Amino acid sequence: MASQSNSHPGPERIFEAMFAHQRTAALKAAIELDLFTAIGEGADSVSTLAWRAKAPERGIRILCDYLTVVGFLTKQDHRYALTPESAAYLDRRSVTCLASIANFMTLPEKIDAFKDLAGVIRSGRPALSGGAGSISPENPIWVSFAKSMGAMQLPAARELARVLDAPSGRKWKVLDIAAGHGVYGIELAKQNPNAEVFAQDWAAVLDVAAANARAAGVEGRFHRLPGSAFEVDFGSGYHVILITGFLHHFSPAENENLLRKVRASLAPDGLVATVDFAPNEDRISPPRAASFAMEMLGTTVSGDSYTWSEYQKMFRDAGYSSTELRPLPGSGHSLILSRV
Amino acid sequence: MASQSNSHPGPERIFEAMFAHQRTAALKAAIELDLFTAIGEGADSVSTLAWRAKAPERGIRILCDYLTVVGFLTKQDHRYALTPESAAYLDRRSVTCLASIANFMTLPEKIDAFKDLAGVIRSGRPALSGGAGSISPENPIWVSFAKSMGAMQLPAARELARVLDAPSGRKWKVLDIAAGHGVYGIELAKQNPNAEVFAQDWAAVLDVAAANARAAGVEGRFHRLPGSAFEVDFGSGYHVILITGFLHHFSPAENENLLRKVRASLAPDGLVATVDFAPNEDRISPPRAASFAMEMLGTTVSGDSYTWSEYQKMFRDAGYSSTELRPLPGSGHSLILSRV
């Protein structure tokens, strides 16, 4: 049988891909119906889950069986249970719960952007926001991003604070470019009581970051720079400039322009900390960093998942003399440290 | 590392599911751009593929890298190649090519039906065709089905003809319920020169089946019964009645009604041949048959992927005395043979 299936592979992977959109829809629906929390609390039968979700049993049963097939639940004698992964990241009672990321990652307009991907590829323009993509001015998807994606970034933000030795308490002026939820800058401010954070993003996005700063007790050292990263006046004298999950939206030429502007805002001994995907030079590994380019194809005009050598060139061409790559374990991202 | 990842599983499966919709979109786009045929013919670089597809290089590169990450291509030294599976089923020059199934399986209205799956589950109504789902009268998605899905069913149709011993040449009156592409009945007519096939489906769908019958040289023994399977007069005296990929759209009660009507149309020694998914009683295996229930949740009011025991009950309650289950190797489907 094994040799037969090697010489005559079946089309299973093709069928799986044709139906793969249902995997996104099912996980989103289960999060919205809060099934993982319910199962974690012991509601393990179709009838109990249907009662809790106020939904007919047929849909709950089909959804739970599907989630079992794709590995988010287990099933034994008609009873469902969480997998270790679902318990850690999808049950809202877990401190490491990531369920909120579904709000941003499965935004209907982002899913729709992939409806005619062949057309997007032929035209070279994303179907999102009238062809401008996610980076159009004041695009409301970034408010959703800021509200939803902070929890997921927390481990990477803590690792960054450790690498930069935030607890040393050095006097820091920090610029957080495209701050979003603000988690990276806020974590530096939490760990370094002598850090002042200036967060740049669209005004409506900064409202979310400011609320997070308030919740973290650092609102007195959190300052807003509303507007486009390419246009707003950053000011100068920054010891640390954060560029997290931002450069992948733009072309190398656009990034070089921004990095020149960033350079002009740095203090003489300042450091630029870039957090982003950086796939290997083969562009096909590791899977998450490499395949993130597809998200940029669907939602931006010229974004990409850049390799380390591409980042090196951008920083070098923008006038930086030293650039260093580090892994950010567990986050899927890399950390790039650059100095003038 | 292994024990650490067991005790602290990462959220990789969650990220993969959030982005899984892109897998459907990417395979669809690659088929529409005919990339697999181009690569099969030796166009193995981004520049050549972009030239052939008349598309900018960025999108072609990102798509090909993505297809490599998810296993449809290989990449070595900037050159792409087909996997054995892609060569067999996605290169249009292959006699076993299944590329056409993307037309039906990724229909925008089918993808849209999963946009608010939590809402579908709560309401118990699919979002497709104003809540009526895919079985609404004259629903045009079945024309797309008939045009796209015949090639995929051919191996199962041939296996069915073998099991029924079509080459014996017995005088057969065949009823093909919800014939679609007509491939099952047409294969019986091809292999048995004494078979007359009566195909039932919506009129526009039968136009497609009739064209297939003409192409197969059996148009003289292909007859049309346009209308709903629940309403059209089948006539009587059928030796073989085919119900392929149909019962999964309806509730057990609706199916019992139909099976009673079918029974009244059978010749005394007649046989009902049902081809459908039939997952194990656990409803979570095998994966393809089990997860097909999700397609029925998204696109029908009361359809399902029924187990063998549920099919047995439907046939028994509809007055059949003997029912037998057989695998249809390679198709993912089962064959259910029933007699009065």
Side-chain angles (χ1 to χ4, degrees), chain A residues 59-296:
Chain A
I60 296 293
R61 169 179 56 78
I62 291 176
L63 178 60
C64 287
D65 284 341
Y66 180 88
L67 293 169
T68 306
V69 172
V70 301
F72 290 109
L73 295 176
T74 62
K75 182 183 184 184
Q76 193 82 44
D77 298 331
H78 304 281
R79 305 271 160 189
Y80 301 97
L82 300 182
T83 63
E85 183 179 6
S86 300
Y89 304 113
L90 296 171
D91 182 334
R92 288 189 198 274
R93 301 169 308 152
S94 164
V95 291
T96 53
C97 184
L98 298 177
S100 68
I101 66 173
N103 294 332
F104 175 72
M105 295 188 78
T106 68
L107 270 181
E109 52 266 51
K110 263 160 47 83
I111 306 269
D112 280 350
F114 287 87
K115 219 172 200 170
D116 176 23
L117 185 60
V120 169
I121 290 170
R122 284 198 192 95
S123 71
R125 309 294 294 189
L128 191 68
S129 305
S134 60
I135 58 156
S136 65
E138 313 284 350
N139 194 314
I141 77 169
W142 300 116
V143 177
S144 167
F145 172 86
K147 287 181 177 167
S148 312
M149 302 292 280
M152 179 178 150
Q153 299 298 324
L154 210 50
R158 289 183 179 143
E159 174 65 10
L160 176 65
R162 192 191 66 75
V163 170
L164 299 183
D165 195 17
S168 70
R170 280 193 297 271
K171 188 172 156 55
W172 271 354
K173 188 176 175 189
V174 176
L175 173 62
D176 189 355
I177 295 180
H181 38 67
V183 158
Y184 285 94
I186 290 167
E187 190 62 28
L188 293 187
K190 273 174 75 176
Q191 296 200 22
N192 181 349
N194 297 314
E196 296 280 330
V197 176
F198 295 78
Q200 171 275 320
D201 212 318
W202 306 121
V205 179
L206 288 181
D207 288 344
V208 181
N212 289 339
R214 215 166 20 249
V218 299
E219 72 272 32
R221 293 178 286 124
F222 181 88
H223 315 279
R224 306 188 196 199
L225 296 172
S228 157
F230 293 87
E231 293 166 14
V232 75
D233 181 4
F234 291 147
S236 62
Y238 290 101
H239 304 94
V240 176
I241 298 185
L242 306 174
I243 315 178
T244 64
F246 188 58
L247 299 180
H248 58 238
H249 295 95
F250 305 97
S251 71
E254 290 167 310
N255 284 333
E256 283 167 32
N257 277 340
L258 181 72
L259 294 177
R260 274 188 211 102
K261 181 182 174 191
V262 165
R263 200 189 63 191
S265 301
L266 272 178
D269 59 343
L271 180 75
V272 179
T274 304
V275 174
D276 220 315
F277 290 109
N280 297 326
E281 299 301 325
D282 62 13
R283 302 194 98 95
I284 55 169
S285 65
R288 198 167 139 217
S291 62
F292 185 73
M294 179 54 72
E295 177 80 354
M296 291 302 99

Side-chain angles (χ1 to χ4, degrees), chain A residues 286-310:
Chain A
R288 198 167 139 217
S291 62
F292 185 73
M294 179 54 72
E295 177 80 354
M296 291 302 99
L297 175 60
T299 61
T300 69
V301 175
S302 54
D304 212 328
S305 191
Y306 292 108
T307 65
W308 168 227
S309 67
E310 289 172 321

Side-chain angles (χ1 to χ4, degrees), chain A residues 9 17 22 24 61 89 295 304, chain B residues 9 17 22 24 61 89 295 304:
Chain A
Q22 296 177 355
T24 305
R61 169 179 56 78
Y89 304 113
E295 177 80 354
D304 212 328
Chain B
Q22 296 177 354
T24 305
R61 169 178 58 77
Y89 304 113
E295 177 80 354
D304 212 328

Side-chain angles (χ1 to χ4, degrees), chain B residues 131-142:
Chain B
S134 62
I135 58 158
S136 65
E138 314 283 350
N139 194 314
I141 78 168
W142 300 115

